[in-house]
Amino acid sequence: MSKKSTAVNANVVDTKRPTVVGADKHPGWHALRKLAARITTPLLPDDYLHLANPLWSARELRGRILEVRRETEDSATLVIKPGWGFSFDYQPGQYMGIGLLIDGRWRWRSYSLTSSPATASAGTARVRSRAIRSSPATSGSDRTVTITVKAMPEGFLSTHLVGGVAPGTIVRLAAPQGNFVLPDPAPASVLFLTAGSGITPVMSMLRTLVRRNQITDITHVHSAPTATDVMFADELAALAQDHPGYRLAVRETRAEGRLELSQIGQLVGDWRERQTWACGPEGMLNQAEKVWSSAGISDRLHLERFAVTKAAPAGAGGTVTFARSGRRVAADAATSVMDAGESAGVQMPFGCRMGICQSCVVELVEGHVRDLRTGQEHDPGTRVQTCISAASGDCVVDI
Ligand SMILES: Cc1cc2nc3c(=O)[nH]c(=O)nc-3n(C[C@H](O)[C@H](O)[C@H](O)COP(=O)(O)OP(=O)(O)OC[C@H]3O[C@@H](n4cnc5c(N)ncnc54)[C@H](O)[C@@H]3O)c2cc1C
Ligand code: FES
């Protein structure tokens, strides 16, 4: 059943002022906002801006969900119109944070952008495929972005985004980031290795390559349980038809079994020569790391992980104190310090939310936290990643 989501309104927005994400990219706008803040005191500019348009905010990036378009039985593409301050010059393959207000609490997750960035080079592409021309997700000109979400069984936000979020909902956004990106120009020969929802960052890359007219020599091996589970199936088929340089091999794992990457040479004879971008379940990515490493070509493998395996929770958790606001919250041994902070209304910095990007690092002032992946305990005075650390007894963090 879908959860109740609420559009941003004056009663529920945080009272705190985080730094406006992306302000460094647009110093002019930021200065204007600060000036507006002075002129409009004691009321804040947001109070006026919000009345005029809920997408205008000096405090945070916002977006409006324009459309939720079903891709497969359990996935959907969300077309989002970002508000003020959003920078469209993200790189294909990057992800952004999206926050929804559900039951009075902001819930954040990261999703790869599936749209193609609206860059100058994208706009000058001479040849476009029928698939890309007909896809609303690829046009940067309408100043929208897309993410494509697969509903995880038991997944809290993904099920809501796929099945329960209404067009018109205002969401919070965190600026695009990530290193799983395609260079410009693209390498001469490329292998995309994707499975399930792992196709999403590669979709942005493919759409961008089409717009740049850089589909030269791409082999794409994609795994899904059945053909009907393949996201973007029609667009990929049209791409293969329109561009001889793009070859797609779909592995239907329910009938054919999982792809054994140690045998990848049987499918892609020259895989060693190709720059490879891989995104999919953890097992597939771990195997890819081993295979590419034994071949001595780890430098040609680029990985994006959507999830990490967590160790079994140990201990009883504890009370986490957030030193700067003085807020406190009891958290069990399976709840990350980040989730605990967000549940207490603390503005926690984040990026990937899974232990990779280091955006969430803060100092542990007192007590101990435990790494949810490895079980390792961290001592006071160390800097810890709040997204994959849980309280191990009472603790204080410097945020
Ligand atoms: C950089 C990045 C990019 C991402 N891009 C996309 C994307 O484009 N499309 C997309 O659908 N998802 C993407 N994700 C995953 C997404 O952020 C959420 O983790 C996912 O939607 C599940 O959220 P949830 O709230 O439904 O699940 P939760 O309620 O948070 O978790 C439910 C259970 O599922 C497990 N779980 C969570 N995510 C996964 C996963 N991916 N695989 C296996 N188990 C998991 C959790 O450990 C938990 O046990 C991305 C993640 C990262 C870090
Ligand atoms: S948010 Fe990326 S490491 Fe914690």
Side-chain angles (χ1 to χ4, degrees):
M1 210 168 78
S2 67
K3 288 101 191 162
K4 196 177 115 216
S5 73
T6 320
V8 176
N9 66 46
N11 299 324
V12 292
V13 288
D14 287 350
T15 49
K16 288 175 61 118
R17 309 288 147 71
T19 312
V20 175
V21 189
D24 50 337
K25 286 191 181 174
H26 301 279
W29 276 118
H30 193 51
L32 205 62
R33 287 172 175 163
K34 277 167 73 179
L35 185 65
R38 279 195 220 135
I39 297 168
T40 57
T41 304
L43 279 183
L44 295 165
D46 255 35
D47 300 326
Y48 294 106
L49 293 172
H50 181 73
L51 284 175
N53 184 336
L55 286 186
W56 293 353
S57 169
R59 290 183 199 148
E60 74 229 349
L61 289 180
R62 290 182 186 169
R64 186 199 302 276
I65 295 178
L66 297 184
E67 188 189 345
V68 181
R69 198 171 51 231
R70 190 58 70 154
E71 291 288 347
T72 62
E73 200 186 337
D74 62 358
S75 68
T77 289
L78 276 69
V79 182
I80 301 169
K81 184 170 185 58
W84 241 10
F86 186 89
S87 172
F88 286 86
D89 61 357
Y90 56 91
Q91 296 182 64
Q94 287 192 309
Y95 61 90
M96 71 173 184
I98 176 166
L100 267 84
L101 189 65
I102 299 175
D103 298 335
R105 185 183 147 193
W106 286 96
R107 317 280 182 150
W108 285 92
R109 298 288 184 275
S110 299
Y111 290 99
S112 302
L113 287 148
T114 44
S115 43
S116 170
T119 60
S121 60
T124 56
R126 278 164 292 150
V127 180
R128 292 186 180 187
S129 79
R130 286 173 299 140
I132 301 300
R133 269 199 311 265
S134 63
S135 167
T138 56
S139 156
S141 58
D142 57 1
R143 309 303 270 176
T144 59
V145 294
T146 58
I147 56 171
T148 303
V149 181
K150 178 176 158 56
M152 301 290 305
E154 311 284 310
F156 181 81
L157 205 71
S158 60
T159 50
H160 179 62
L161 289 172
V162 172
V165 71
T169 301
I170 301 290
V171 295
R172 287 183 179 178
L173 302 175
Q177 61 172 291
N179 300 324
F180 185 73
V181 294
L182 194 68
D184 183 13
S189 67
V190 168
L191 169 60
F192 288 137
L193 200 55
T194 58
S197 59
I199 197 170
T200 53
V202 163
M203 209 55 216
S204 176
M205 294 179 186
L206 282 170
R207 288 168 166 167
T208 304
L209 288 172
V210 170
R211 293 176 65 140
R212 288 182 191 154
N213 195 21
Q214 286 180 3
I215 300 272
T216 47
D217 178 6
I218 298 172
T219 298
H220 187 176
V221 180
H222 179 65
S223 298
T226 67
T228 54
D229 295 306
V230 176
M231 295 174 178
F232 318 108
D234 292 347
E235 190 174 337
L236 293 173
L239 199 59
Q241 214 181 338
D242 287 357
H243 296 267
Y246 173 73
R247 290 165 304 279
L248 173 67
V250 172
R251 172 93 173 187
E252 292 183 44
T253 53
R254 196 162 293 161
E256 302 173 79
R258 283 196 184 149
L259 185 65
E260 181 49 59
L261 285 180
S262 55
Q263 313 293 319
I264 186 75
Q266 293 174 7
L267 204 57
V268 189
D270 59 354
W271 65 279
R272 287 184 184 79
E273 279 79 61
R274 292 174 178 272
Q275 286 287 335
T276 298
W277 277 264
C279 184
E282 203 178 5
M284 179 189 107
L285 298 181
N286 291 346
Q287 206 190 11
E289 272 182 325
K290 275 194 201 136
V291 171
W292 263 252
S293 160
S294 346
I297 50 167
S298 296
D299 58 325
R300 291 193 196 151
L301 180 66
H302 315 270
L303 294 183
E304 181 79 310
R305 293 176 187 275
F306 284 180
V308 281
T309 304
K310 292 180 178 163
T319 297
V320 186
T321 302
F322 299 87
R324 297 190 194 183
S325 59
R327 294 188 191 199
R328 298 163 148 244
V329 63
D332 64 26
T335 300
S336 70
V337 171
M338 176 179 286
D339 283 343
E342 287 176 349
S343 72
V346 180
Q347 193 83 34
M348 303 293 292
F350 74 88
C352 66
R353 305 178 76 90
M354 53 173 300
I356 293 174
C357 72
Q358 307 285 330
S359 306
C360 61
V361 169
V362 302
E363 190 187 339
L364 177 64
V365 183
E366 279 174 33
H368 294 86
V369 296
R370 203 176 61 86
D371 189 311
L372 285 163
R373 302 164 302 180
T374 61
Q376 189 196 348
E377 283 225 336
H378 294 290
D379 298 327
T382 52
R383 292 177 64 74
V384 296
Q385 292 164 281
T386 60
C387 68
I388 41 89
S389 301
S392 181
D394 295 348
C395 62
V396 181
V397 285
D398 183 23
I399 181 163

